[in-house]
Amino acid sequence: MQPAAITMGCPVGVGPEIILRLFDSLTEQATLPVVLGDLGVLQRTAGLLQSKSQPVAWQLGQTIKLGTVPVLDLSHLDAEHLRWGQPVKETSLAMAKYIHRATQGALAGDFAAVVTCPISKKALHEAGIFYPGHTEMLAELTSTSRYRMMLAGSRLRVVLVTIHEPLAKVSTMLSADDILDCISMTADSLHRDFGFSKPRIAVAGFNPHSGEQGMFGQEEIETIEPALRQFTGEAEISGPWPPDTIFYRAANGEFDAVVCMYHDQGLIPFKLLHFQDGVNVTLGLPIVRTSVDHGTAYDIAGKGIADASSLRAAWQMAMKIAENRAQ
Amino acid sequence: MQPAAITMGCPVGVGPEIILRLFDSLTEQATLPVVLGDLGVLQRTAGLLQSKSQPVAWQLGQTIKLGTVPVLDLSHLDAEHLRWGQPVKETSLAMAKYIHRATQGALAGDFAAVVTCPISKKALHEAGIFYPGHTEMLAELTSTSRYRMMLAGSRLRVVLVTIHEPLAKVSTMLSADDILDCISMTADSLHRDFGFSKPRIAVAGFNPHSGEQGMFGQEEIETIEPALRQFTGEAEISGPWPPDTIFYRAANGEFDAVVCMYHDQGLIPFKLLHFQDGVNVTLGLPIVRTSVDHGTAYDIAGKGIADASSLRAAWQMAMKIAENRAQ
């Protein structure tokens, strides 16, 4: 198995710090990841944090030694003069480069997976790189038109039909075709990425009590139920379930994933259970891609208090998915 | 302190069963509740469940003995011929009577609180009693026009600005006045009912990421923020917070309650944490009223498997609120 490529994310966010914390916690040689980032920034951060792990330059094909942080050095930022939490054009161009190189390498088979540390959309835009976000950038770089966001943890997996939309508009954006597509992609991922032979997928309703036969809204009857009826794949699909109890049931083992109609329907329960160790998995890409489930956290970057749990979980999940796909 | 009155709820639902389970678990004389219900139904249920506690007729002013279930016998249903899960007109009229009598007694000071077991709205309607629900009935019986639903548990309290509304319409129903009223009633209850001298109340946003400065919706800017600015009471009020992380923060002790814009925003996290032991508290009534946080569960009624955790929690919370109000 090739190593996973961890992109360093914004050089002045928590990315460098959580990468070092991750390497400090590694004890096995077998599956060490590599970092696509800036060697100078990581070395400076290692000094600051008194990290046990030593960032070293690494090239494709070289062996990786436990105790080191192997870095494919893609930018040569002036580490001494960067300020934590204050991105500049150079740092933003650099973070885009890490993503480009990681994607290219994963497509070429050099990396088993891409694991991304957080970037700042705002900083990216200010540097003249116009993507709505990380995932859209990866989709374009891999020529992917159908992709979905899954949030995955040990107790709960949620997949979102709509994401960053005004809640008042979600109802008009829902379509049976789109919901069906989301269910199908969820089923495919549970098969291929997570190894379920017959995944159990719960589809959440949209309204309180799932509308109670149309009393509190029609979306279940007009849009969600038709989507459920059209599904013909290899999975146990059920719903639309009352949103207020379906996550409890899923978290207690009754379902392998919940398809959610809007951002907070899925994110509220997910963050309640997996605030520290949640993983963002992009479904539909030709490469394996996971991401930490938090932002650049500029307010705490460089203070030595960032938690690497989400990065560790993202890397472990990426390797597991890569193994499942290879079988 | 007077006893709390537990209304038996629908006689063919799980009410009788959870009442007996509650009394079976009581070990202290001091604060025994009384039941407003049907003696025959409870006696038959006690036989069926082999309950340790003996249902006995009870009248106002009589002492209450541990080991008994003191019943103010308000209906004389034909217990032998009722079928679990199959409400008839007589059972529905009876369950309404329990609520009437409990409310009257609480207003008169005979009961410290009213704790309600579940009723069926559908059965109530079929019997010609037209209330949207339990709470609306209690509001009318106590001539209350301002009331709110709080769901309370050991880790989380949520109060709902809107409840049983189609989600697509919630945006148009939100007003700064109504949100302010909900915040004020939450603050009053946290003071008076829960004993907080300076309660910390988080107000949730409406859109993903609380709209991100208007990018994903305007409700935060146009409606929620103005409500927050107008609050002048004795409480620490903050928000609008991104909905996907505020419940994690509240559940971990940062806030005493979260004011929620719509049903599932509050109910999804609440049920995830308090599926078994959640309590519904009605704010704004002149009497103390708590309720179990589940329905009649007709499918399992009479099978001896219903869980009394929510009723126990509702009764304990009602007594605690009554004590706090009496101070």
Side-chain angles (χ1 to χ4, degrees), chain A residues 58-138:
Chain A
W58 175 86
Q59 296 291 334
L60 271 187
Q62 289 188 343
T63 54
I64 304 167
K65 213 175 128 197
L66 194 65
T68 69
V69 182
V71 182
L72 190 59
D73 191 18
L74 297 173
S75 55
H76 303 281
L77 298 167
D78 182 3
E80 292 302 314
H81 293 94
L82 295 178
R83 288 172 181 274
W84 294 113
Q86 297 182 16
V88 292
K89 189 169 182 178
E90 288 70 30
T91 56
S92 296
L93 294 176
M95 75 188 173
K97 197 172 178 187
Y98 312 148
I99 300 167
H100 276 256
R101 184 66 188 84
T103 308
Q104 184 194 45
L107 284 171
D110 295 328
F111 305 126
V114 175
V115 180
T116 58
C117 284
I119 64 171
S120 158
K121 272 174 277 188
K122 189 162 165 276
L124 207 60
H125 290 189
E126 283 168 3
I129 303 175
F130 297 103
Y131 288 101
H134 223 146
T135 300
E136 289 81 357
M137 196 169 164
L138 284 150

